[in-house]
Amino acid sequence: MPTPSMEDYIEQIYMLIEDKGYARVSDIAEALAVHPSSVTKMVQKLDKDDYLVYEKYRGLILTNKGKKIGKRLVDRHELLEQFLSIIGVDDDKIYNDVEGIEHHLSWNAIDRIGDLVQYFEEDETRIKQLKAIQKLNNDK
């Protein structure tokens, strides 16, 4: 399994390729707010571990393994954003909260959160009931 740092790179590379059709070292560096030399080192490590194929001065492509993990990481991020939104976390805090917790949860916990999101989305009255409980607790 990739480290949390590797996950951040794979996730970002996956999103760049999905959005733009390619991911350059400079794009990755800008998106992650790191130096291009740091990106090059990590890309070389990801190449060595078969998450992507990197050719110096030519670019990179994700392997099937890299694509699979990249999609799963993006899905995890989106699910956690959805979950935090449902439970009433302020919109301006959601992204940072997800960044803070996404690497610390097991895939089993992610799956259970997915079940909970599905539970709330299947019946809108459940979300309304949760909001009513939150209002009562806030009024205390």
Side-chain angles (χ1 to χ4, degrees), residues 7-72:
E7 286 183 348
D8 286 339
Y9 278 84
I10 294 168
E11 181 180 7
Q12 193 59 56
I13 291 166
Y14 180 88
M15 288 189 309
L16 284 166
I17 291 172
E18 286 293 302
D19 291 345
K20 297 170 67 171
Y22 60 89
R24 299 176 307 195
V25 167
S26 59
D27 298 323
I28 300 164
E30 182 181 336
L32 294 174
V34 297
H35 291 286
S37 60
S38 299
V39 174
T40 299
K41 287 178 190 171
M42 180 58 79
V43 164
Q44 290 169 340
K45 179 167 180 38
L46 293 171
D47 183 17
K48 182 176 165 264
D49 292 347
D50 297 321
Y51 292 105
L52 55 81
V53 176
Y54 173 65
E55 293 181 28
K56 195 172 184 178
Y57 307 117
R58 294 192 53 116
L60 55 94
I61 58 167
L62 289 170
T63 61
N64 286 336
K65 175 181 172 181
K67 286 178 192 172
K68 182 178 177 184
I69 290 187
K71 180 170 180 5
R72 191 168 188 204

Side-chain angles (χ1 to χ4, degrees), residues 48-107:
K48 182 176 165 264
D49 292 347
D50 297 321
Y51 292 105
L52 55 81
V53 176
Y54 173 65
E55 293 181 28
K56 195 172 184 178
Y57 307 117
R58 294 192 53 116
L60 55 94
I61 58 167
L62 289 170
T63 61
N64 286 336
K65 175 181 172 181
K67 286 178 192 172
K68 182 178 177 184
I69 290 187
K71 180 170 180 5
R72 191 168 188 204
L73 295 171
V74 168
D75 290 347
R76 173 183 71 185
H77 190 102
E78 290 172 354
L79 174 68
L80 290 172
E81 284 185 350
Q82 195 176 7
F83 172 68
L84 293 179
S85 178
I86 286 171
I87 64 170
V89 174
D90 295 339
D91 288 344
D92 63 332
K93 298 196 176 11
I94 289 177
Y95 181 83
N96 285 336
D97 285 351
V98 170
E99 287 296 312
I101 64 172
E102 67 183 337
H103 299 296
H104 301 286
L105 296 172
S106 68
W107 287 105

